[in-house]
Amino acid sequence: MSGSSMLIQALAREKVDVIFGYPGGAILPTYDEIYRTGIRHILARHEQGAIHAAEGYARVSGKPGVCVVTSGPGATNVITGIADAMIDSLPLVVITGQVATSVIGTDAFQEADIIGVTMPITKHNFQVRNVNDLPNIIKESFHIATSGRPGPVLIDLPKDVSIAIGEFNYDEPLDLPGYQPTKIPNRLQIRKLAEAVAKAEKPVILTGAGILHAGGSEEVLEFAENQQIPVASTLLGLGAFPGDHEQFLGMGGMHGTYSANMALHEADLLINIGARFDDRLTGRLDAFAPYATIAHIDIDPAEIGKNVETHIPIVGDAKEAMRMLNEEAKTNCECGDWKETIKKWKAEYPLWYTEDDELLKPQRLIEMIYEETNGDAIVTTDVGQHQMWSAQFYKFPKPNQWVTSGGLGTMGFGFPSAIGAQFAEPDKTVVAVVGDAGFQMTAQELSILQELNLPVKIIIVNNASLGMVRQWQQLFYEERYSNSLFPIQPDFVKLADAYNVKGWKIEDPAEMQDILKEALAYDGPVLLDCRVHKVENVYPMIAPGKGHHEMEGIKP
């Protein structure tokens, strides 16, 4: 069969139920095969929208998101999404068309060296030169994307290879001797951690996205409850431990809670499960967890000791590690004084904001979304203030409810990722909480909602600015608001109406709950333009160069 036929057959064998993409010349043979076979394809209105939708699908479903685009600009338009997936460990298989092998390297029409461009931001990439290699390449791509630490894999498919005829054999066993990720942790290291738990007086657990990728939330909950150890979370780890649990401290890091950050600072044992100790979590490295024995469980050995010195390294799958730790850890942590200290921190320094009868407060908006969805929605965001308020004030009680751009911090991610999340969970309420600026980067994907009547609820936290940029300019640049304010904006309700999407504008706090309730109950897509207080800041905050014990804005 032809290369393009092989590709579609292989996707079927991998149980791919939806593809996100955008056609073009070099990938037309594949799109012709999509037409003939009827495999479900979602036509984005921009390739960036397609790959962010694939990311949202992967994040919620746990299955690889598949994105198909053409060569040249089609391929380069997915670069941001590939980099985003790489740093946030999302499994993607990205298929890019390429010019014919006979003209590769000649600057042919719509040619780009996508292999060279994406080598630093993919887990692996392939360029297919022989059609008979294609089945094995696809099989390897799905295996690499989903095993070990998940990540994006790119397949570059020249047009002549996609029409060439070869033999389709998908039953050859995988043979990747150089790629053997460690799944089962070393039992001796697990015992060493169990012994450290038994001796600890101020232990704390840090949950990262690795737990969610491993499906190990139940094991973490069992361990934390049995040992009575408090739990803090990274931004991407939210939902790995129930956000409404009495042992949950909230998110740690730059805009984390006082109790989470002080627990990280004062702990004598820090158990990091599936987090990579990034700078937004740690603050100043030489002030991070200064009294703690550091245990780090991660399937990627390159992350252990990379940023923070690790005393008990455990390489392996987080779920398997926690299962083994539950077997080994028998002595419950007494830690009465520690529990009382944490209880006092939580009571004295909760997350706060000032009420206002005339101005819409973004924190109250997020709280209300949580209340009206009973904490059961899938929430996606862009990056910035609205992202931090969502992380702070929406308590995620279950795994895989939280879809956000963490490491790369990608504006424009929130809305199209909600589309992918909705395809992953068609019966769930999906709420895209976005900024007025980020939404405009991928707003054209409203056309997908119009076409398919996809019931995504878009909530624009509209402060007429690049909110986090404005906050930093206020705090660190003497209020020189260089190109961060938007005095002129589109009428977002009219924009929604142009796409036949129901829209409301909310300015009066008294109207907010009734409109939100109606919007969430509406059987179809909705856009809410929520005009919030323009100069509200995200607090608490760890300023650049500071440690967890030097938080600002912990009280009104």
Side-chain angles (χ1 to χ4, degrees):
M1 62 177 69
S2 70
S4 54
S5 296
M6 290 182 186
L7 174 60
I8 300 304
Q9 289 291 328
L11 295 181
R13 292 283 289 271
E14 295 291 343
K15 297 181 171 56
V16 172
D17 51 16
V18 64
I19 300 168
F20 303 91
Y22 202 98
I27 200 72
L28 278 184
T30 297
Y31 270 84
D32 191 52
E33 197 64 27
I34 289 171
Y35 179 87
R36 295 198 302 111
T37 60
I39 190 169
R40 191 174 197 189
H41 178 279
I42 306 305
L43 176 63
R45 271 46 178 184
H46 190 284
E47 290 90 352
Q48 185 175 351
I51 197 158
H52 289 332
E55 286 186 273
Y57 176 88
R59 181 66 186 79
V60 171
S61 71
K63 299 190 291 185
V66 178
C67 182
V68 180
V69 296
T70 196
S71 65
T76 58
N77 278 344
V78 297
I79 295 297
T80 298
I82 293 172
D84 190 273
M86 183 67 177
I87 200 166
D88 285 352
S89 305
L90 294 176
L92 296 184
V93 175
V94 182
I95 297 144
T96 56
Q98 184 55 276
V99 299
T101 54
S102 59
V103 293
I104 288 177
T106 68
D107 293 330
F109 177 67
Q110 290 193 332
E111 180 188 1
D113 178 12
I114 200 65
I115 294 295
V117 169
T118 61
M119 193 168 288
I121 55 168
T122 50
K123 192 174 176 185
H124 195 68
N125 60 21
F126 299 89
Q127 186 174 81
V128 190
R129 290 298 187 118
N130 186 320
V131 69
N132 292 303
D133 296 335
L134 185 55
N136 205 43
I137 284 174
I138 298 167
K139 195 170 189 176
E140 289 178 6
S141 296
F142 276 86
H143 176 70
I144 293 168
T146 55
S147 59
R149 179 179 178 172
V153 176
L154 183 137
I155 303 171
D156 197 36
L157 182 60
K159 188 173 184 179
D160 58 328
V161 176
S162 71
I163 61 177
I165 303 299
E167 183 179 347
F168 180 73
N169 182 356
Y170 212 68
D171 297 319
E172 287 287 328
L174 282 168
D175 183 24
L176 296 171
Y179 176 69
Q180 301 292 333
T182 301
K183 184 171 183 178
I184 306 301
N186 184 301
R187 176 74 67 172
L188 293 177
Q189 291 299 94
I190 295 288
R191 286 176 183 161
K192 188 181 291 187
L193 176 53
E195 291 167 4
V197 170
K199 297 175 184 175
E201 296 180 358
K202 297 180 179 180
V204 65
I205 295 167
L206 176 68
T207 57
I211 299 167
L212 297 165
H213 296 312
S217 296
E218 290 183 8
E219 288 76 8
V220 173
L221 178 62
E222 178 186 345
F223 176 71
E225 287 185 334
N226 286 346
Q227 301 300 321
Q228 284 297 292
I229 298 176
V231 180
S233 176
T234 65
L235 173 68
L236 290 177
L238 291 170
F241 189 84
D244 53 0
H245 197 286
E246 63 179 1
Q247 288 172 234
F248 188 59
L249 305 175
M251 179 177 69
M254 180 173 282
H255 292 293
T257 65
Y258 182 84
S259 56
N261 282 335
M262 287 305 296
L264 291 170
H265 183 74
E266 296 291 336
D268 65 358
L269 175 64
L270 170 54
I271 306 170
N272 173 357
I273 314 168
R276 58 187 182 83
F277 283 136
D278 72 290
D279 58 293
R280 288 297 170 104
L281 170 79
T282 62
R284 197 175 85 239
L285 276 173
D286 62 6
F288 177 72
Y291 316 112
T293 296
I294 306 288
H296 188 172
I297 300 169
D298 207 297
I299 201 162
D300 184 357
E303 290 296 344
I304 297 178
K306 184 178 80 173
N307 296 328
V308 173
E309 182 183 359
T310 301
H311 308 103
I312 307 175
I314 298 174
V315 178
D317 178 79
K319 180 183 176 78
E320 187 63 25
M322 294 311 298
R323 186 192 66 76
M324 293 167 66
L325 187 58
N326 281 321
E327 291 175 354
E328 297 288 345
K330 303 300 182 186
T331 307
N332 291 356
C333 172
E334 298 298 331
C335 310
D337 291 344
W338 181 231
K339 292 176 190 174
E340 285 303 312
T341 298
I342 286 173
K343 187 176 179 181
K344 182 179 178 183
W345 286 337
K346 291 175 77 171
E348 290 187 6
Y349 302 103
L351 292 170
W352 63 271
Y353 62 92
T354 56
E355 300 279 1
D356 197 306
D357 293 333
E358 297 182 359
L359 294 170
L360 206 60
K361 284 304 184 87
Q363 302 94 329
R364 179 60 190 139
L365 172 62
I366 303 301
E367 282 183 332
M368 205 170 286
I369 295 169
Y370 173 73
E371 293 161 6
E372 293 298 327
T373 60
N374 296 312
D376 196 42
I378 293 169
V379 178
T380 75
T381 75
D382 282 331
V383 64
Q385 287 183 315
H386 69 277
Q387 177 191 37
M388 293 297 106
W389 287 316
S390 298
Q392 290 175 335
F393 290 95
Y394 197 101
K395 300 179 180 69
F396 295 94
K398 292 180 290 188
N400 304 323
Q401 291 182 271
W402 174 236
V403 183
T404 195
S405 174
L408 198 65
T410 304
M411 291 177 66
F413 173 90
F415 172 39
S417 69
I419 292 171
Q422 191 74 79
F423 279 103
E425 290 284 357
D427 297 326
K428 283 275 191 183
T429 299
V430 177
V431 180
V433 180
V434 295
D436 50 291
F439 176 65
Q440 293 183 74
M441 290 190 171
T442 48
Q444 70 279 347
E445 305 309 330
L446 282 166
S447 197
I448 295 179
L449 272 55
Q450 176 186 22
E451 177 186 352
L452 303 175
N453 196 37
L454 205 65
V456 171
K457 315 304 180 190
I458 305 162
I459 299 179
I460 303 175
V461 182
N462 189 345
N463 54 15
S465 68
L466 293 166
M468 194 61 84
V469 175
R470 183 209 55 76
Q471 177 171 335
W472 278 54
Q473 288 173 335
Q474 175 189 339
L475 298 177
F476 308 119
Y477 293 88
E478 299 178 339
E479 301 185 11
R480 294 187 294 274
Y481 299 121
S482 176
N483 295 283
S484 61
L485 308 180
F486 293 130
I488 303 298
Q489 284 193 319
D491 186 324
F492 289 111
V493 174
K494 286 184 178 179
L495 178 64
D497 185 59
Y499 287 96
N500 201 31
V501 171
K502 193 169 184 64
W504 284 273
K505 182 166 75 172
I506 309 175
E507 295 180 284
D508 185 352
E511 299 177 344
M512 185 164 63
Q513 187 159 13
D514 289 342
I515 294 176
L516 182 60
K517 191 185 294 285
E518 184 178 352
L520 290 168
Y522 182 71
D523 185 20
V526 166
L527 181 147
L528 299 185
D529 179 10
C530 302
R531 302 298 179 99
V532 300
H533 188 204
K534 291 183 179 181
V535 292
E536 193 77 5
N537 286 340
V538 181
Y539 288 115
M541 180 178 184
I542 301 172
K546 300 290 186 179
H548 286 120
H549 61 301
E550 300 172 292
M551 298 185 75
E552 301 173 5
I554 59 175
K555 281 196 170 185

